[in-house]
Amino acid sequence: MGFKCGIVGLPNVGKSTLFNALTRTAAAQAANYPFCTIEPNTGEVAVPDPRMQKLASVAGSKEIIPTRISFVDIAGLVRGASKGEGLGNKFLANIREVDAIVHVLRCFEDDDITHVEGRIDPVGDADTIETELMIADLESLERRTEQTRKRAASKDKESMAQLPVMEASLKLLQDGKPVRTLLKTLAADEIEILKGLNLLTSHPVLYVCNVSEADAVDGNTHTAAVARMAAEQGAESIVISAAIESEVAQLPDEESKEFLSALGLEEAGLDRLIRAGYHLLDLITYFTVGPKETRAWTIVRGTKAPAAAGVIHTDFERGFIRAFTIAYDDYVMLGGEVPAKEAGKARDEGKEYVVQDGDVIHFRFNT
């Protein structure tokens, strides 16, 4: 599994420019990280991970298959989208399907590009979109909560379990707060109930500050304000110049590295965005390695071995016996599976084992 990010933003903030640049960058790196277009507004890119090359070299793998991230360029949002203004209905439908929201904020001045609100205020822009999402959630949840109360009163077990989560969510929205702030207080089963409600404001948010080329390294006062807002919300924020990313997308790999270095940037915006997304969603990667392929698999931190096996195939989880596991560092430093086993660094883990980032695993299972 990878994860899906919905790219949102007001008109003229650079949302589509960034989407096009990121997906073209992936296409330019097709030799190592293949790219494919799923729909006209959806791009799927491979997650760069230098560990894969080292693992493949040790194992003599014929193929490297990275995990993937999908970017969905969701229809532009304007004030009133919750009431159907602009392409609001399409926007609201698409955003329910993503794992995280990448909110592009305009943090650059340019008299030739008008702002829909007539000012440059990224924090205000973020508030505009958040308000539209909360209004949509509030209207939807009020109707559903009333129906659930009636079913819970008749002792319907599912409704009785859902109702406390729905009422807590409704209270937050009525107080002008997004539902995602509830996550820290919920038990695991309650979090699953919340996810099942498909509320727009339950998704974690990554703010992308789109800046001019001159501000790509150090940012500016606008990006500093966004960083403060993100910290207060427990969200993530990064600084990217869509203009720079558009230029990088046209260059071969080596030339793009030189170009970025000349600007004082260590890596492309795509890499930073993916890393921030992984941190936001608390994701880690484990690997399956062999002569045929080295492959990356993405899971949520804290996942136990059977569920991690289920990411490969549901049969692996149902028939899980054990996980033959080697830490990444041991696999690479010792020279592969056999030397690691001889050195006592390979181990069989059972159903309670919590998979760690970088683990190299072979699952044993019954069909």
Side-chain angles (χ1 to χ4, degrees):
M1 91 182 222
F3 60 98
K4 180 183 287 187
C5 292
I7 302 181
V8 306
L10 292 172
N12 294 338
V13 299
K15 175 176 65 70
S16 294
T17 300
L18 180 64
F19 171 82
N20 292 335
L22 293 178
T23 52
R24 280 202 303 269
T25 298
Q29 297 173 346
N32 293 322
Y33 302 112
F35 160 81
C36 60
T37 299
I38 310 303
E39 295 175 358
N41 66 332
T42 302
E44 193 173 86
V45 303
V47 175
D49 191 328
R51 293 177 297 183
M52 298 192 72
Q53 295 286 353
K54 294 181 180 179
L55 290 170
S57 177
V58 171
S61 303
K62 294 179 180 179
E63 189 176 6
I64 294 176
I65 304 177
T67 190
R68 309 187 72 82
I69 173 174
S70 297
F71 291 110
V72 184
D73 186 16
I74 291 172
L77 184 68
V78 295
R79 191 181 298 275
S82 58
K83 305 297 183 182
E85 293 294 329
L87 294 175
N89 291 334
K90 181 180 179 182
F91 170 87
L92 297 175
N94 287 342
I95 201 171
R96 294 186 194 279
E97 302 170 2
V98 303
D99 298 307
I101 297 172
V102 175
H103 189 161
V104 181
L105 297 170
R106 178 171 172 173
C107 295
F108 64 88
E109 308 279 348
D110 190 332
D111 293 337
D112 294 329
I113 303 177
T114 59
H115 188 287
V116 68
E117 300 281 351
R119 81 289 189 270
I120 306 300
D121 179 9
V123 172
D125 291 351
D127 184 64
T128 294
I129 287 188
E130 189 83 292
T131 297
E132 294 300 327
L133 299 184
M134 286 192 291
I135 291 172
D137 275 349
L138 185 60
E139 292 179 351
S140 168
L141 197 55
E142 282 176 338
R143 295 191 299 269
R144 295 156 67 187
T145 301
E146 188 59 35
Q147 295 167 355
T148 303
R149 285 193 184 110
K150 293 178 181 178
R151 291 194 296 269
S154 62
K155 305 302 180 182
D156 177 76
K157 290 185 178 180
E158 183 178 359
S159 298
M160 291 173 68
Q162 290 175 337
L163 187 58
V165 178
M166 296 178 77
E167 289 182 332
S169 300
L170 191 59
K171 177 65 166 59
L172 274 174
L173 293 166
Q174 290 169 338
D175 291 342
K177 297 177 182 178
V179 175
R180 74 181 70 92
T181 58
L182 189 64
L183 288 169
K184 296 179 180 178
T185 66
L186 298 179
D189 58 334
E190 293 174 318
I191 290 175
E192 289 306 308
I193 291 173
L194 181 61
K195 289 179 179 178
L197 297 177
N198 288 323
L199 296 172
L200 302 168
T201 61
S202 65
H203 300 300
V205 177
L206 168 60
Y207 294 108
V208 174
C209 300
N210 184 19
V211 299
S212 65
E213 184 175 312
D215 292 327
V217 176
D218 297 322
N220 53 36
T221 56
H222 295 308
T223 63
V226 173
R228 289 193 296 271
M229 174 186 67
E232 291 170 0
Q233 296 178 358
E236 296 275 332
S237 72
I238 59 172
V239 176
I240 289 180
S241 170
I244 290 177
E245 297 304 316
S246 294
E247 293 186 57
V248 168
Q250 310 301 323
L251 299 173
D253 191 42
E254 284 304 314
E255 289 184 31
S256 67
K257 290 179 181 178
E258 293 176 5
F259 175 72
L260 290 169
S261 179
L263 294 172
L265 297 169
E266 295 182 359
E267 58 185 347
L270 174 62
D271 294 351
R272 286 183 283 122
L273 194 156
I274 289 173
R275 189 166 59 250
Y278 263 62
H279 185 257
L280 179 69
L281 294 170
D282 204 18
L283 303 176
I284 63 171
T285 301
Y286 77 86
F287 304 101
T288 52
V289 181
K292 181 180 178 182
E293 65 181 33
T294 289
R295 186 162 187 157
W297 305 90
T298 300
I299 57 174
V300 176
R301 190 182 306 277
T303 298
K304 292 184 178 180
V311 173
I312 300 176
H313 198 286
T314 53
D315 286 349
F316 285 27
E317 182 172 7
R318 281 196 297 266
F320 178 88
I321 299 173
R322 62 185 183 275
F324 180 73
T325 306
I326 305 170
Y328 167 80
D329 286 340
D330 291 334
Y331 190 98
V332 173
M333 291 176 63
L334 295 171
E337 182 177 315
V338 173
K341 190 173 183 178
E342 291 173 347
K345 295 297 184 180
R347 59 197 189 277
D348 282 323
E349 299 287 0
K351 293 182 178 180
E352 294 304 309
Y353 176 66
V354 176
V355 176
Q356 302 298 303
D357 185 50
D359 276 352
V360 177
I361 302 180
H362 290 306
F363 293 105
R364 275 40 169 188
F365 66 98
N366 283 324
T367 54

